[in-house]
Amino acid sequence: MAGSERAKMAAGEWYTCLDGELEALRVSARDAVFEHNSLPPRQRGNLGPGLKALLGKAGEGTRIEAPFHCAYGFNIFLGDGVFLNAGCTILDTASVRIGKRTLLGPNVQIYCAEHHKEAAGRQAGLEIARPVEIGSNAWIGGSAIILGGISIGDGAVVGAGAVVTRDVAANTTVVGNPARAVKRD
């Protein structure tokens, strides 16, 4: 492995999160998130200006309710009409792409970072970043957790409180921990 820790993170290699460049990027994200979460709703609109500038993409009509939290922001790509309800957390160490008109309920959590299995590796700050992709017109129920490396297809539904540990096919409904497919009503 060669290159900066940021380059390793972007390449999906093991990197150390205890790095000055990555910390500076997280500080910038915290500043933008603080502004977004602190502005009065009428002044903030759909997105605080700092957060809008930070995101990789925010499609037309995208709305993020406060409070919101992200690790870096620049790895988040939101299609037109995406809605994130209050309390969403996206730990975007890798790319998080959410398709058009997809809705996330309150307190949805997306975790791209996977920590090292060995205690010494965790103490050294070793992580690997795995991307998440959610298709268009999907619905992610409140307090669902989506782990890194997961793809959720167009029109899929993830039930409230589900823990998504494997890919979800288009137009499929999953519920539970771990999330399993169920028949649609």
Side-chain angles (χ1 to χ4, degrees):
M1 283 189 246
S4 71
E5 297 306 309
R6 182 178 182 180
K8 292 176 193 175
M9 182 176 79
E13 299 173 0
W14 287 98
Y15 65 94
T16 181
C17 63
L18 306 174
D19 173 72
E21 178 186 15
L22 292 178
E23 178 59 20
L25 292 168
R26 289 189 298 268
V27 167
S28 294
R30 286 193 296 267
D31 287 344
V33 165
F34 179 81
E35 176 197 57
H36 174 82
N37 291 337
S38 300
L39 285 170
R42 289 184 189 188
Q43 186 178 347
R44 178 184 65 237
N46 286 343
L47 290 167
L51 184 57
K52 186 173 185 174
L54 181 70
L55 295 177
K57 178 189 173 198
E60 188 173 325
T62 291
R63 182 174 183 83
I64 299 177
E65 293 289 351
F68 171 74
H69 178 75
C70 65
Y72 295 99
F74 58 78
N75 283 324
I76 299 172
F77 302 86
L78 307 173
D80 295 344
V82 167
F83 177 76
L84 278 64
N85 211 328
C88 286
T89 296
I90 301 178
L91 300 184
D92 60 312
T93 55
S95 172
V96 174
R97 297 183 180 277
I98 301 176
K100 298 183 289 188
R101 297 174 305 280
T102 286
L103 310 173
L104 276 65
N107 301 310
V108 168
Q109 302 164 59
I110 299 174
Y111 303 144
C112 293
E114 180 181 316
H115 299 282
H116 203 276
K117 305 272 188 280
E118 301 294 327
R122 290 191 301 276
Q123 291 169 359
L126 288 178
E127 297 179 347
I128 194 164
R130 303 197 189 283
V132 169
E133 185 157 350
I134 303 172
S136 297
N137 299 305
W139 167 244
I140 312 300
S143 297
I145 298 172
I146 301 168
L147 300 183
I150 297 299
S151 177
I152 297 173
D154 293 344
V157 175
V158 175
V163 178
V164 183
T165 61
R166 62 181 83 175
D167 290 349
V168 178
N171 301 309
T172 300
T173 298
V174 298
V175 299
N177 180 3
R180 301 276 190 237
V182 294
K183 282 187 173 184
R184 283 192 149 167
D185 292 335

